[in-house]
Amino acid sequence: MAGGIFSPLGSCSELEKANCHPLVCLLCHEPYQHPCLLDCYHNFCASCLRGRASDGRLRCPLCGHPSVVRGGTGLPPVDRLLQFLVDSSADGEEDVQCANCDRRCAKAELDTMYFCNTCGQPLCAPCREETHRAKMFARHEIVSLSKRTKDIHKKCPLHEEPYIMFSTEKKSMLCINCFRDMQGESRAHCIDIETAYMQGCQRLDQAVMAVKELQTSTREAIVLLKAMIEEVRNSASEEEAAINSLFGRMQEQLSERKKTLLKAVQSQHEEKEKAFKEQLAHLASLLPTLQVHLVTCSAFLSSANKAEFLDLGYQLMERLQRIVKLPHRLRPAQTSKINSEYRAEFARCLEPLLVLSPRRSVVGSAGGIGPGIAGTNMLPGGQCSKTLMVPSCPTAGDKMSAGPMVRKPTMHRYISTKVLLAEGRETPFAEHCRNYENTYRMLQTEVQGLKDQVQELHRDLTKHHSLIKTEIMSEILQKSLQMDVQIAAHYSAVEMMRSVFEEVWEETYQRVANEQEIYEAQLHDLLQLRQENSCLTTITKQIAPYVRSIAKVKERLEPR
């Protein structure tokens, strides 16, 4: 039984295939001998756990959860419940003999046997009908053999008296002496055995139902996790295939661009070398001419007299001056650096393969919390705000509804705008974003204030049933209509900037993508803000008749 008990258990699939009998130890695969209960509610034999504790802790061989062990044995406490089941199972495996007719019952016929708790003897079915139906046995407690009461459960071990009561406070059975020794306050928590048994069965049924629900949820979670594992495996295969495919296409593009760049480098090399050689040949032919004229000058000065010098000297000087003024290319006409811009070329060839797909929208994907209240939306300041929603909300204006709907989250748009402004570039779009953020924050603050007021009125009307002044509803409705006009005007002003920005957006592709994304998100935020305001207006109009009705009732009641 001790062989291999220190080896860890296998995987969950191996555990499912193994014999999971509730009375068999998972380590030694034998019936439990002194079963011990760990903190994770897994049971193992005491002999299987002996020697596994370290520093007062024992790690579960099944799930690895550490359990605190106390005492010198290094073992957790014995599970009395499981020990009772093991003992009951062992008792049921023995042959039982009827105390009246001495008839022996085989193991398969134990369900037909009974037990008299009063007499303390087993009975077969015929003897129960023939002997224990008399009036003298009317008060005998006869149960099935599996539910017989053992002596240890019949009498109090302290007073040797039969149990008659049960304490719901201490969760223990009491004899008459135990009951008398109790204080008066504790006696109020004592009930008879039968009532305690019925109440215990009801509570056990409730606990069993909760465990069954947890079992169902656990099985569903296991099925879901297995499906997700398979999905992860498939996703990994698809991702590997996509990476290999993209890498292959990148290699092909890079290989082709490499050939083109090498040809360009070779062409630049040939052109520069040819130009440098031509300039070198020119300078090489100029050097002997200069040397000859210098020698000529020296010889002329040494051999010519004054008359000869004045006759030929000025002619020599003019010749030397003309030689100096000739266009001689003494400096290189170009650099020796060969520049193919290979980094930019490689990036351009990879750009079509590495363009990111548009981000998926998350706005509007969250389900509503309840009728009239939708999920929370993140504001630029990191705060959450509840949005009033009505199933029959009217749509916004035709102009705003017909606009592009790029559902970009408000928080992401806010961060992108911050990054754009942090670059410090003074562009028309940056100035537009700066003005837009100021106006949008002002509109958003006002709409949030109106939403809070309407939510408070809605709560007072539905939960507290309190009276609401009609003037407040009229004021909120008026402000809501004014906000609708302001938001529509700001939307129109932003929309009119489209043609101006479209000309700027043609300059660079990357900047165009970022600015267009922010711009469309701005329009969407305004549209969403206007829709929220429209829904708020609708709710206000719906609540207004009830407020007026309550106000009229209040006016009638005030004189009384």
Side-chain angles (χ1 to χ4, degrees), residues 421-454:
L421 296 178
E423 293 178 357
R425 298 180 182 179
E426 295 297 332
T427 61
F429 187 79
E431 183 65 23
H432 159 74
C433 289
R434 195 175 291 108
N435 298 332
Y436 170 87
E437 289 299 326
N438 297 331
T439 307
Y440 179 78
R441 285 199 199 96
M442 180 189 66
L443 295 174
Q444 189 179 43
T445 303
E446 295 182 5
V447 172
Q448 181 63 34
L450 292 176
K451 286 196 294 185
D452 294 340
Q453 295 180 22
V454 173

Side-chain angles (χ1 to χ4, degrees), residues 91-149:
D91 293 341
E93 294 178 356
E94 300 175 357
D95 293 340
V96 180
Q97 182 178 0
C98 178
N100 189 42
C101 64
D102 296 335
R103 175 189 172 189
R104 286 190 172 274
C105 237
K107 187 185 301 184
E109 299 177 353
L110 291 180
D111 294 338
T112 62
M113 292 293 293
Y114 297 90
F115 190 84
C116 179
N117 285 330
T118 306
C119 300
Q121 294 177 344
L123 296 172
C124 62
C127 291
R128 181 202 177 194
E129 297 295 333
E130 295 175 1
T131 63
H132 270 63
R133 288 298 184 184
K135 290 184 178 181
M136 61 180 299
F137 301 110
R139 294 188 178 183
H140 285 213
E141 182 184 4
I142 301 176
V143 296
S144 62
L145 184 64
S146 59
K147 294 185 178 181
R148 63 179 178 176
T149 304

Side-chain angles (χ1 to χ4, degrees), residues 55 68 84 96 126 146 162 184 207 251 341 389 445 493 499 518 536:
D55 296 332
V68 179
F84 168 77
V96 180
S146 59
Q251 282 185 319
E341 297 183 355
M389 298 296 291
T445 303
S499 58
I518 298 175
L536 185 144

